[in-house]
Amino acid sequence: MTIALETKGLVKRFGGLQATDNVSFQLQQGARHALIGPNGAGKTTFINLLTGVIKPTAGQIFLEGQDITGLRPELRVQRGLARTFQINQLFPAMTPLETIGLAVSERTGGGRDWWRVTGSRREIIDEIVEIAQRFRLTDVLDEKTSNLAYGKQRLLEIAVAFACRPRVLLLDEPAAGVPEAERHELLATVAALPRDVSVLLIEHDMDLVFSFADRITVMVNGALFTEGTVEEVSTDPRVRAVYLGESVDE
């Protein structure tokens, strides 16, 4: 299979703390891949390294075979790597229509005149409508973001990332804080994205992980602990020991 995203020997040290320890990882093209691990395992640090928020101490990052280790975050987005955050980064006074329009216009060169470009170009309007439909936002397009239900806010944040037309989408706990009734809708929407978008999901809710992912990587203490299919990871006694403190027979 084609590799969409890859790391080789990725290390990050903060002083004497080694946050990631020689992480070599592959995300296959079209995958629905989950990254799990206990608190403090280094998952968010790993995502921050992938997206260029922080620089690695050692190792390399490849996007579709191209070395992006030294690229700034915005250049990685332009190359097709987008993300969401644990805490949403939305503008509360803007509507979903404006927010998605800003993202589409920025990508297509509208820049600071995004409001004028959005209203004057039919293709941008059509793309906003298509994204809103895909992420179930058509009924709230003209509502202030601050007034949206939290599940809708999380869908909007993913929609903004999708508006960048990524080929790799990194989702950092997208269901955190979302009511139970809305979580499965959120992940079902992500799972239904076109397969030319490869998705790496960080999530603590194991039910969501098992229903979403076709492959799971477990990280512990900054290092890759194990990787496999949902069935392999869910039945691995070592993973249960990490999460539940159960003993493992020698």
Side-chain angles (χ1 to χ4, degrees):
M1 294 182 66
T2 303
I3 299 171
L5 183 68
E6 182 177 16
T7 68
K8 294 182 179 180
L10 205 59
V11 174
K12 180 60 184 179
R13 298 188 188 93
F14 296 100
L17 173 65
Q18 186 145 318
T20 57
D21 183 6
N22 195 35
V23 176
S24 294
F25 168 84
Q26 291 182 344
L27 177 70
Q28 302 293 339
Q29 174 64 49
R32 300 294 182 257
H33 198 130
L35 177 66
I36 67 173
N39 289 333
K43 304 183 298 297
T44 295
T45 297
F46 181 58
I47 295 295
N48 286 337
L49 288 167
L50 293 178
T51 54
V53 174
I54 56 178
K55 296 180 180 180
T57 306
Q60 293 174 289
I61 304 164
F62 297 88
L63 179 64
E64 297 180 327
Q66 299 297 311
D67 190 337
I68 63 168
T69 311
L71 289 185
R72 300 191 306 273
E74 65 273 19
L75 296 179
R76 300 185 194 207
V77 174
Q78 292 174 12
R79 293 283 187 95
L81 178 64
R83 73 171 293 181
T84 64
F85 295 82
Q86 289 183 18
I87 299 173
N88 77 55
Q89 306 290 305
L90 300 170
F91 298 104
M94 293 176 65
T95 66
L97 174 63
E98 294 167 335
T99 303
I100 297 171
L102 174 59
V104 174
S105 295
E106 183 66 28
R107 191 198 75 233
T108 57
R112 67 185 64 179
D113 292 330
W114 65 271
W115 54 273
R116 182 181 297 114
V117 173
T118 298
S120 62
R121 289 173 55 182
R122 182 74 248 175
E123 67 272 20
I124 291 182
I125 296 173
D126 289 344
E127 184 173 350
I128 293 170
V129 171
E130 187 276 328
I131 292 173
Q133 290 172 340
R134 180 182 294 279
F135 288 92
R136 311 181 192 197
L137 295 166
T138 53
D139 58 331
V140 295
L141 269 178
D142 295 318
E143 297 283 339
K144 281 189 176 183
T145 296
S146 59
N147 294 335
L148 300 184
Y150 194 63
K152 291 290 188 183
Q153 292 185 24
R154 299 301 275 185
L155 280 169
L156 177 57
E157 187 179 17
I158 300 170
V160 169
F162 183 77
C164 298
R165 290 193 180 173
R167 292 182 299 281
V168 174
L169 180 59
L170 311 177
L171 304 177
D172 194 352
E173 297 189 36
V178 176
E180 182 68 29
E182 300 174 48
R183 289 185 180 186
H184 288 281
E185 176 190 44
L186 187 151
L187 265 296
T189 302
V190 175
L193 293 178
R195 280 286 171 167
D196 59 359
V197 179
S198 310
V199 180
L200 177 61
L201 169 76
I202 295 178
E203 182 54 63
H204 282 293
D205 187 322
M206 289 299 97
D207 288 338
L208 287 181
V209 168
F210 294 151
S211 66
F212 171 81
D214 46 40
R215 194 160 188 83
I216 299 174
T217 296
V218 184
M219 179 176 277
V220 177
N221 295 328
L224 297 189
F225 183 69
T226 190
E227 180 177 309
T229 65
V230 171
E231 181 178 2
E232 289 168 343
V233 171
S234 64
T235 58
D236 189 329
R238 297 173 305 152
V239 175
R240 295 183 61 84
V242 166
Y243 273 96
L244 303 177
E246 297 178 355
S247 60
V248 180
D249 295 333
E250 297 294 336

